[in-house]
């Protein structure tokens, strides 16, 4: 049995929550390995909607262990709030089904404030973040001044750590003409949630290794998408962590040999939230129609998503940077009834044809999509659970995408409902 990594193959919002939930039937453990509560995973189970942003999607399934790995930045107050919300919906959460890495970095109020300050500034610092403090928390992590989950276990030793943190942040605040943050403020906000968070703390690298050696099947759940990767995405309009599949190892404490199969999630079209390049964006009635049909609003922010045709260049590129073995194609039903459907198969850049997205921000803004057109289909794909339920032209579209991106479609999703999924290849069987 292979351990499976699920990553977004576009700019996020591809439907990872449903796919992870669907795959969790086969898994014993679900691990979040990067990002924070800027993720937005919506699960629809028996018409009941669960909205997750920090907790792994496996948390809603009885008998599954959910793990928040060391690569995640954890807002302790949001964690407590999200747990309370799920409990109010009937989900049981305890140490039996949730563990948090002792060495995960904490997001504090000063991180949220700095994030919002940058996003709302007129100084050119806006990049479209969720203003949840994710980026500033990662900055403190690599700056070696972060406060981590394990630090909550010894509140008496916090003073020196808070002083080190504030020597950096208060210098920034003074430069911006803002009031400095008192050490007591940070101490009090941590002390208020310490006991609750510590309930779930563990040496998750050791726990996961023991589970792996014991034959348990592990599902690694990525947040955001590969095109938001800090190294391989549309920089600087990216998130603050590595979202590609390789980070499942680093962000969980397991070696790369623990990864057996990489499943990329891609919509049958393309969406993006926030700023940054988007070669196939449609600022017309077609784009509006796709957004309306697809209910394209951010789970975390509520912001409308930008919509466009499927970009095979980008997905082919993320298949390479994440080592994707197969694709779960979602929201095929949103394209039902279109007379013609376009797919971007290449770009023009300064008069030349290229088959990749350049790394340069300026070049990304200049690329022009090269489209090929396929006939659409009559009838509906919504709710289809077998190839026989699909119109022939819809199958042709799926096969065309497979050819263009160089990866097979392993699963096909035809509605938000868990059961409306066509299994072509079970990733856990590799």
């Amino acid at each position: 049995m292979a351990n499976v990594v699920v990553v977004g193959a576009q700019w996020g919002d591809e439907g990872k929550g449903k796919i992870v939930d669907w795959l969790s039937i086969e898994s014993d453990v679900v691990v979040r390995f990067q990002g924070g509560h800027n993720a937005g995973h919506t699960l629809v189970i028996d018409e009941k909607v669960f909205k997750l942003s920090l907790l792994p999607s496996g948390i809603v399934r009885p008998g599954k262990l959910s793990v928040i790995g060391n690569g995640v930045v954890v807002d302790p107050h949001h964690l407590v709030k999200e747990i309370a919300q799920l409990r109010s919906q009937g989900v049981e959460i305890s140490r039996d089904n949730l563990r948090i890495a002792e060495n995960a970095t904490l997001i504090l109020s000063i991180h949220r404030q700095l994030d919002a300050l940058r996003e709302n500034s007129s100084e050119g610092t806006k990049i479209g973040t969720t203003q949840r403090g994710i980026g500033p928390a990662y900055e403190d992590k690599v700056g070696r001044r972060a406060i981590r989950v394990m630090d909550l276990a010894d509140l008496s030793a916090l003073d020196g750590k808070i002083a080190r943190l504030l020597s950096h942040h208060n210098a920034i605040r003074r430069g911006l003409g803002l009031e400095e943050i008192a050490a007591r403020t940070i101490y009090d906000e941590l002390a208020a949630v310490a006991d609750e968070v510590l309930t779930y703390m563990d040496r998750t690298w050791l726990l996961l290794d023991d589970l792996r050696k014991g034959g348990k099947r592990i599902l690694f759940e990525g947040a955001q998408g590969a095109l938001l990767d800090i190294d391989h995405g549309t920089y600087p309009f990216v998130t603050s962590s590595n979202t590609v599949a390789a980070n499942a190892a680093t962000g969980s404490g397991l070696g790369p040999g623990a990864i057996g199969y990489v499943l990329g999630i891609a919509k049958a079209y393309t969406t993006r939230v926030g700023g940054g390049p988007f070669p196939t964006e449609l600022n017309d009635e077609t784009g509006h129609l796709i957004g309306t049909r697809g209910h394209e609003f951010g789970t975390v922010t509520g912001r409308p998503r930008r919509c466009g045709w499927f970009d095979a260049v980008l997905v082919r590129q993320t298949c390479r940077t994440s080592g994707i073995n197969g694709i779960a194609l979602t929201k095929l039903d949103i394209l039902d009834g279109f007379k013609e459907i376009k797919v971007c198969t290449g770009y023009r850049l300064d008069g030349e044809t290229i088959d990749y997205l350049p790394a340069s921000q300026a070049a990304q803004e200049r690329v022009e999509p090269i489209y090929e057109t396929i006939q659409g289909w009559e009838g509906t794909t919504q709710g289809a659970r077998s190839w026989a339920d699909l119109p022939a032209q819809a199958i042709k579209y799926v096969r065309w995408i497979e050819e263009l991106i160089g990866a097979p479609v392993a699963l096909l999703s035809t509605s938000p409902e868990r059961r409306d999924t066509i299994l072509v290849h079970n990733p856990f069987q590799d």
Side-chain angles (χ1 to χ4, degrees):
M1 291 288 183
N3 295 323
V4 177
V5 180
V6 172
V7 295
Q10 295 162 315
W11 279 294
D13 307 306
E14 302 96 348
K16 293 184 291 297
K18 172 192 169 175
I19 300 301
V20 169
D21 177 60
W22 195 90
L23 288 171
S24 66
I25 297 172
E26 300 279 340
S27 69
D28 302 297
V29 186
V30 182
V31 183
R32 272 285 308 274
F33 60 87
Q34 51 76 218
H37 63 305
N38 55 340
H41 295 170
T42 301
L43 308 181
V44 181
I45 302 173
D46 297 328
E47 299 184 353
K48 196 169 186 178
V49 179
F50 299 94
K51 292 185 180 293
L52 308 177
S53 54
L54 179 59
L55 294 171
S57 296
I59 198 70
V60 301
R61 274 194 169 277
K64 309 296 179 181
L65 176 64
S66 290
V67 175
I68 296 176
N70 56 274
V72 178
V73 285
V74 178
D75 184 322
H77 289 273
H78 178 87
L79 174 70
V80 171
K81 180 181 177 181
E82 191 168 321
I83 288 174
Q85 173 60 39
L86 289 178
R87 282 176 173 160
S88 73
Q89 293 183 271
V91 178
E92 294 185 9
I93 300 176
S94 69
R95 186 174 173 81
D96 292 337
N97 66 340
L98 176 64
R99 303 292 176 89
I100 303 172
E102 62 180 359
N103 52 339
T105 292
L106 294 175
I107 298 173
L108 309 176
S109 58
I110 53 174
H111 298 130
R112 295 191 298 272
Q113 292 167 13
L114 180 57
D115 203 356
L117 187 68
R118 289 170 174 170
E119 281 298 298
N120 296 317
S121 172
S122 60
E123 301 299 321
T125 56
K126 183 179 179 65
I127 59 172
T129 78
T130 58
Q131 302 186 38
R132 299 273 172 125
I134 310 297
Y138 273 118
E139 290 174 33
D140 282 344
K141 177 180 179 177
V142 298
R144 293 164 291 185
R145 54 182 171 266
I147 293 175
R148 303 192 289 177
V149 171
M150 67 180 73
D151 296 327
L152 299 178
D154 186 4
L155 295 178
S156 63
L158 270 182
D159 288 347
K161 295 170 183 176
I162 292 173
R164 180 176 59 190
L165 180 72
L166 290 182
S167 67
H168 172 79
H169 280 272
N170 278 336
I172 294 175
R173 297 178 71 88
R174 286 194 299 271
L176 295 171
L178 299 175
E179 183 179 353
E180 294 188 19
I181 298 291
R184 189 69 193 185
T185 299
I186 303 299
Y187 180 91
D188 288 346
E189 73 174 78
L190 291 171
V193 291
D195 289 344
E196 175 90 15
V197 175
L198 290 172
T199 299
Y200 311 102
M201 185 180 77
D202 206 344
R203 297 181 188 87
T204 54
W205 61 270
L206 180 60
L207 172 68
L208 290 171
D209 189 55
D210 288 343
L211 291 169
R212 180 183 67 85
K213 289 177 178 176
K216 299 299 184 182
R217 290 161 294 190
I218 302 174
L219 181 60
F220 300 91
E221 178 182 13
Q224 292 82 49
L227 292 171
L228 293 175
D229 186 272
I230 189 68
D231 290 306
H232 301 288
T234 49
Y235 190 92
F237 300 96
V238 293
T239 194
S240 300
S241 60
N242 286 111
T243 58
V244 293
N247 198 32
T250 306
S252 66
L254 287 173
I259 299 172
Y261 188 98
V262 179
L263 180 69
I265 317 296
K267 285 177 181 171
Y269 50 96
T270 310
T271 64
R272 177 165 200 170
V273 171
F278 187 169
T280 65
E281 183 174 10
L282 297 171
N283 295 303
D284 57 15
E285 286 187 13
T286 300
H288 178 72
L289 179 60
I290 291 174
T292 301
R293 284 186 177 182
H295 305 289
E296 296 295 354
F297 296 91
T299 302
V300 172
T301 64
R303 291 180 293 183
R305 299 178 184 132
R306 301 152 65 190
C307 298
W309 295 120
F310 186 85
D311 192 330
V313 180
L314 292 180
V315 178
R316 182 169 63 241
Q317 191 161 320
T318 59
C319 283
R320 294 179 177 181
T321 57
S322 269
I324 289 172
N325 301 109
I327 287 286
L329 192 66
T330 66
K331 290 198 166 184
L332 181 66
D333 55 301
I334 305 305
L335 299 180
D336 289 351
F338 279 91
K339 290 184 179 180
E340 292 183 338
I341 299 171
K342 294 182 178 181
V343 172
C344 175
T345 58
Y347 298 138
R348 289 189 185 88
L349 177 61
D350 301 333
E352 295 185 12
T353 299
I354 59 174
D355 62 355
Y356 62 92
L357 184 70
S360 161
Q361 179 183 352
Q364 289 174 1
E365 293 172 350
R366 296 199 308 274
V367 296
E368 300 174 2
I370 298 172
Y371 288 116
E372 292 185 27
T373 303
I374 189 174
Q375 181 183 342
W377 53 87
E378 296 180 357
T380 181
T381 63
Q382 185 173 11
R385 298 180 187 176
S386 72
W387 287 109
D389 296 333
L390 298 175
Q393 196 62 23
I395 296 175
K396 185 176 179 180
Y397 178 68
V398 174
R399 297 304 185 200
W400 188 34
I401 285 177
E402 288 180 318
E403 180 181 346
L404 290 172
I405 66 176
V409 170
L411 293 96
L412 189 64
S413 173
T414 56
S415 94
E417 285 288 344
R418 175 194 293 161
R419 294 167 298 198
D420 295 338
T421 305
I422 300 172
L423 175 65
V424 182
H425 172 77
N426 188 336
F428 278 109
Q429 297 303 320
D430 269 37

